[in-house]
Each structure stands twice: as structure tokens, then as C-alpha cells.
């Protein structure tokens, strides 16, 4: 009986300590204490080789499947050449992937020239470990000159900002995350607002006055205020507008210009 | 050896979660392998078997996430503790009780995120979160759980034969 009571007390102490520790972590995280991020760095270092391996495996498998379907008829028609075809498929798969990567990179490089800023290109190697936060992991870190609060873009526009730069990997908070806010303005009317994420696939543009003329399809750009995103980068396009008479502001929904669910290579703006 | 294999399982689950699991997303929702593992440990291991694994995987998941640090540690530890305690009071063999356990754990996990974002971070969560994303998340976890439980049972069966925990 006393042994059971002792075990029970031990369990309660363990649980209380664990919960207290998690509350302390939450407090430090909200206060943006630097020390708390050592856990992120350790986890990043341990997991990045596995994430790299998993990502590359998926890409290879996906290429293999695509090429199998496109060339299956040829293989069936000519059994004699099957071995040769398979070899060529494998070779072509590699080349196609290399070409696609080069195309994407050259698009990014052209964009980099347009930006006239110092940038670092990086590959996306992982996504958030939880269901709810919208974040990606890139394969560049402080060793490559990346630091917190740098803007991250693709050739299509803004995707987010660095929230934690580890030695070899960094976390990018996407603009669709519920904690993201970017000061913005409409390309045409120059009316300003704040783009906030709501945790879904779209963003909302807040504080747009009812009097502003907003149409579906209008482009929204970064305003340059806030010090993270340079002025003039495309954030997204208006997909829905709703004006309520009893409200001071319109409800504006925005589709991000980049497809945030299929990110592969990104640019980090160093300056 | 036993703990090494358990650590490898955690690394594999979280690596999968952060890479290719997105390919199987439904309505933008993917199952939470870490959550299923915590419930598995809580149900299968001896008294309080879920709280320790919950704490360990919660911290790791928090470190690999861009969200508020500590949220997963909090929810996973509580889920582990709660279901470890509950399993000694209820009969939980079979797919249906497991499904109910998983659904409850998923809803609790989602609500912890929802309230922490709304209160501590003062952020905004899409209104569809509670009536659309959370139910899909729960159902998805419930559907994946039997396969994962079976696989983990096989691994643990092998471990019991070859190692001493």
C-alpha cells in the first residue's frame, strides 16, 4: 500500500515538473529568449541528415514513377531494347531532375539580379513537425550568413521570414502562419493594410478601410515598413472581398503568390 | 539496445512527419505520428508509461516546430499521463476503444494549440479550425492508428525477444 502511494507521489512529482517545464518554455519562447533556441539547434543538427535523405528519396521515387508511366508503352513494344530503355530512363530521370533544378535556379538567379540584393539560395528540406504551425526548414544557416528576421522569397514573391537560424539549418515562418504579419499595400490604389496568416492556405488583409476600392485579382505588395521585407515584393492576389456596413474595415482574403505547399528552392535576402 | 531502437523510432516518425507525410495530406491535414506514438506507449507500457515518452517526443516536436515552444511538451505529457492512468481503470483492448482514445487525444491536442495561439500568442486561427480541421485531424489519426499500432507491436515483439528493456 505504502509502495503504491510512493509510486503515485513520484508520478505526480514527475508530471508537475514536466508541466512546469513546458510552461517555462512557453514563457521563454514568448519573451524571445535566445537561450531557449539551443534545443532547436540540436534538433536541427540531429534531424537534418534524415530530412535530407527522406526528401531526396521522395524526389527520386517521384521521378522514377513519372518516367515509368510515360515510357511503359515503349518498353512493352520492344522487349529486346528493354534493358537499354531502363538504363536510359534512369539516366534521363537524373538529367530531367537536374534540368528542372537548373531551370528553377536560373529563374531564382534572374530574380536575384532584379532584386540587386545580396542573397543566399537554399533548398527546403523539411516542414513543421506539428499539424498547426506553418513553417519550413531550409538547408542553410548561420554558417552561410543567415540570421533571424531575414526575408525569404521565391521568384513568385514573399514566402516568409527566418525565425530561427541554426548553424546549418534555419526555420522559415510562412506568411500563412497565424503569427505572421506583413505590412502591405495595393499595387494599384496604394492603400495600405496588414497581411496576416490564419493558419490555412490563405491570408487576410486587415485594416483596409471600407472606402478603399478593392477588387478580386488586385495585387498586394510589401510596403517596406517593419524592416523585414523590402518594398515592392509581391505577397499575393485578392481572392475575396466583403464589405460590411457596420464595420470600419473590409474583409479581404488573399492567395499567396507562391505555392507554399510545394516549395523547393528559396532565396534568403541577406540585406 | 531497447532504448536505442525506441529513439530510432522517434527519429523515423518525426523525420517522416516533417518530410513526406505532406504527400498524404487531406484538406491540408496530416496525421500526427508523435501523438499516436504517445497514446501507444500510454496504452501498451506499464503504469505511467505514456508520460515519459510524451515529454520526450513533445520536446523534440517543439524543437522541430516553428510554433510556441512547450505547447507539444505540455499536451503530449498530459495525454501520456492521462491515458496511462485511464488504461488501468478501463478495458481498452480492440480497435473501437483505441479509436475513441485517439480521437479524444487529437481533440485535446488541437484545443491546446488553439487556446495557446489565441491567448498566449494573441494570434488568429481560421474559424474553420474547430469545425473543419480538427475533426479531419481526429479521424485521420484514428484511421492511421491501427496500422501504426500493429507495426509498433511487431517491433516491440521483436525487441522483447532479442533485448532486455
Amino acid at each position: 500500500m505504502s509502495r503504491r502511494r510512493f509510486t503515485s507521489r513520484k508520478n505526480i512529482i514527475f508530471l508537475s515538473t514536466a508541466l512546469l517545464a513546458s510552461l517555462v518554455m512557453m514563457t521563454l519562447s514568448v519573451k524571445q529568449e535566445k537561450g531557449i533556441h539551443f534545443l532547436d539547434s540540436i534538433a536541427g543538427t540531429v534531424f537534418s541528415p534524415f530530412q535530407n535523405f527522406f526528401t531526396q528519396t521522395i524526389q527520386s521515387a517521384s521521378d522514377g514513377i513519372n518516367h515509368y508511366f510515360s515510357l511503359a508503352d515503349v518498353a512493352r513494344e520492344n522487349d529486346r531494347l528493354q534493358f537499354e530503355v531502363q538504363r536510359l530512363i534512369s539516366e534521363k530521370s537524373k538529367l530531367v531532375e537536374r534540368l528542372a533544378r537548373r531551370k528553377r535556379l536560373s529563374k531564382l538567379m534572374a530574380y536575384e539580379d532584379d532584386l540587386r540584393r545580396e542573397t543566399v539560395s537554399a533548398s527546403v528540406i523539411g516542414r513543421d513537425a506539428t499539424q498547426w504551425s506553418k513553417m519550413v526548414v531550409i538547408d542553410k544557416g548561420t554558417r552561410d550568413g543567415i540570421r533571424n528576421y531575414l526575408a525569404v522569397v521565391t521568384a513568385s514573391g514573399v514566402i516568409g521570414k527566418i525565425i530561427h537560424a541554426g548553424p546549418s539549418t534555419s526555420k522559415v515562418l510562412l506568411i500563412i502562419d497565424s503569427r505572421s504579419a506583413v505590412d502591405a499595400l495595393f499595387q494599384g490604389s496604394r492603400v495600405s493594410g496588414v497581411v496576416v496568416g490564419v493558419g490555412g492556405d490563405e491570408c487576410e488583409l486587415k485594416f483596409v478601410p471600407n472606402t478603399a476600392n478593392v477588387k478580386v485579382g488586385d495585387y498586394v505588395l510589401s510596403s517596406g515598413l517593419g524592416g523585414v521585407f523590402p518594398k515592392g515584393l509581391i505577397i499575393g492576389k485578392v481572392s475575396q472581398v466583403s464589405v460590411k456596413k457596420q464595420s470600419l474595415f473590409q474583409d479581404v482574403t488573399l492567395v499567396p503568390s507562391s505555392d507554399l505547399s510545394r516549395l523547393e528552392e528559396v532565396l534568403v535576402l541577406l540585406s | 539496445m531497447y532504448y536505442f531502437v525506441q529513439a530510432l523510432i522517434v527519429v523515423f516518425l518525426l523525420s517522416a512527419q516533417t518530410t513526406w507525410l505532406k504527400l498524404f495530406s487531406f484538406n491540408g491535414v496530416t496525421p500526427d505520428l508523435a501523438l499516436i506514438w504517445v497514446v501507444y506507449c500510454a496504452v501498451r507500457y506499464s503504469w505511467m508509461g505514456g508520460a515519459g515518452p510524451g515529454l520526450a517526443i513533445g520536446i523534440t516536436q517543439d524543437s522541430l516546430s516553428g510554433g510556441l515552444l512547450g505547447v507539444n511538451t505540455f499536451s503530449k505529457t498530459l495525454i501520456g499521463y492521462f491515458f496511462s492512468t485511464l488504461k488501468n481503470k478501463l478495458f481498452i483492448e480492440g480497435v473501437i476503444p483505441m479509436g475513441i482514445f485517439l480521437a479524444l487525444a487529437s481533440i485535446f491536442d488541437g484545443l491546446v494549440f488553439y487556446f495557446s495561439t489565441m491567448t498566449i500568442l494573441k494570434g488568429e486561427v481560421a474559424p474553420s479550425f474547430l469545425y473543419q480541421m480538427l475533426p479531419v485531424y481526429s479521424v485521420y489519426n484514428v484511421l492511421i492508428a491501427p496500422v501504426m499500432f500493429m507495426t509498433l507491436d511487431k517491433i516491440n515483439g521483436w525487441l522483447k525477444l532479442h533485448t532486455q528493456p
Side-chain angles (χ1 to χ4, degrees):
Chain A
M1 184 70 184
S2 64
R3 185 183 164 85
R4 193 171 170 179
R5 192 177 289 166
F6 173 72
T7 314
S8 172
R9 190 173 290 173
K10 213 168 71 176
N11 292 339
I12 295 291
I13 291 169
F14 173 77
L15 182 72
S16 311
T17 313
L19 295 182
L20 190 70
S22 62
L23 291 173
V24 169
M25 279 198 281
M26 282 187 224
T27 312
L28 293 177
S29 177
V30 170
K31 287 187 167 182
Q32 305 270 327
E33 294 285 340
K34 278 186 178 174
I36 198 73
H37 285 302
F38 78 95
L39 285 172
D40 298 32
S41 303
I42 295 169
T45 311
V46 171
F47 279 85
S48 63
F50 294 98
Q51 289 174 324
N52 265 321
F53 171 74
F54 274 59
T55 308
Q56 278 166 14
T57 310
I58 297 158
Q59 274 171 4
S60 308
S62 156
D63 290 343
I65 289 165
N66 288 339
H67 287 288
Y68 173 77
F69 282 119
S70 63
L71 294 171
D73 288 343
V74 178
R76 235 177 273 126
E77 278 171 25
N78 200 340
D79 288 344
R80 209 164 38 86
L81 292 171
Q82 199 171 25
F83 180 77
E84 185 63 15
V85 167
Q86 290 303 323
R87 191 185 67 78
L88 288 171
I89 288 170
S90 156
E91 204 167 294
K92 189 183 169 192
S93 165
K94 282 178 198 160
L95 289 171
V96 165
E97 180 55 30
R98 214 175 286 174
L99 194 68
R101 188 179 160 81
R102 186 167 291 185
K103 268 185 190 166
R104 289 196 303 266
L105 284 175
S106 60
K107 211 171 162 186
L108 271 182
M109 291 309 158
Y111 185 62
E112 188 181 355
D113 291 343
D114 289 349
L115 284 171
R116 291 176 191 183
R117 283 170 183 278
E118 206 183 329
T119 60
V120 169
S121 64
S123 297
V124 174
I125 57 163
R127 292 186 172 271
D128 200 281
T130 67
Q131 195 58 225
W132 320 117
S133 189
K134 304 291 179 187
M135 188 268 306
V136 292
V137 182
I138 56 171
D139 65 346
K140 297 281 164 66
T142 48
R143 286 179 201 148
D144 308 283
I146 291 175
R147 54 185 194 278
N148 288 352
Y149 308 117
L150 290 179
V152 185
V153 299
T154 66
S156 310
V158 172
I159 65 152
K161 67 178 176 191
I162 303 284
I163 51 165
H164 171 67
S168 57
T169 58
S170 302
K171 290 179 178 178
V172 180
L173 185 77
L174 301 178
I175 53 171
I176 51 173
D177 188 276
S178 48
R179 286 169 298 150
S180 167
V182 185
D183 202 87
L185 47 83
F186 286 98
Q187 192 174 36
S189 63
R190 313 308 281 179
V191 173
S192 62
V194 179
V195 175
V196 295
V198 285
D201 294 332
E202 294 182 328
C203 304
E204 280 178 10
L205 187 56
K206 299 276 182 190
F207 312 119
V208 178
N210 260 348
T211 50
N213 181 22
V214 180
K215 295 186 298 293
V216 171
D218 283 355
Y219 281 98
V220 176
L221 315 174
S222 56
S223 71
L225 298 176
V228 176
F229 300 98
K231 190 175 181 176
L233 298 177
I234 298 177
I235 299 174
K237 211 160 68 167
V238 174
S239 63
Q240 216 177 318
V241 187
S242 157
V243 182
K244 287 177 191 154
K245 280 185 182 168
Q246 66 272 27
S247 171
L248 287 172
F249 304 110
Q250 306 184 29
D251 292 336
V252 182
T253 309
L254 215 70
V255 178
S257 54
S258 305
D259 185 354
L260 301 178
S261 62
R262 304 174 75 173
L263 292 170
E264 288 182 75
E265 280 94 20
V266 297
L267 279 180
V268 184
L269 307 184
L270 293 181
S271 53
Chain B
M1 175 70 173
Y2 181 83
Y3 293 106
F4 176 72
V5 174
Q6 294 298 334
L8 269 186
I9 292 172
V10 170
V11 169
F12 175 80
L13 292 179
L14 288 177
S15 299
Q17 183 87 50
T18 54
T19 52
W20 54 260
L21 210 66
K22 188 81 185 165
L23 296 173
F24 302 99
S25 72
F26 178 76
N27 238 356
V29 177
T30 51
D32 190 342
L33 303 182
L35 178 81
I36 301 173
W37 187 71
V38 170
V39 175
Y40 174 85
C41 292
V43 171
R44 287 284 192 269
Y45 297 153
S46 55
W47 178 256
M48 277 286 289
L55 175 72
I57 207 162
I59 290 179
T60 318
Q61 200 175 18
D62 273 327
S63 309
L64 289 169
S65 155
L68 181 65
L69 206 66
V71 168
N72 287 291
T73 313
F74 182 82
S75 73
K76 276 10 179 229
T77 308
L78 266 182
I79 287 168
Y81 177 80
F82 182 70
F83 288 111
S84 287
T85 313
L86 207 64
K87 74 140 185 279
N88 295 313
K89 296 181 168 41
L90 294 171
F91 181 71
I92 38 99
E93 278 304 315
V95 177
I96 294 172
M98 293 284 187
I100 295 170
F101 264 36
L102 242 310
L104 289 174
S106 308
I107 290 168
F108 178 76
D109 192 51
L111 288 178
V112 168
F113 160 78
Y114 182 79
F115 286 113
S116 63
T117 306
M118 300 290 274
T119 55
I120 301 173
L121 291 176
K122 308 257 186 278
E124 285 202 30
V125 181
S128 60
F129 176 83
L130 289 175
Y131 62 84
Q132 204 177 327
M133 284 179 85
L134 199 51
V136 173
Y137 172 64
S138 305
V139 171
Y140 213 163
N141 281 338
V142 170
L143 291 176
I144 294 292
V147 182
M148 222 174 116
F149 271 50
M150 218 166 66
T151 315
L152 289 169
D153 276 343
K154 294 252 181 232
I155 295 171
N156 283 324
W158 183 88
L159 273 176
K160 266 184 195 161
L161 277 177
H162 294 88
T163 61
Q164 193 69 37

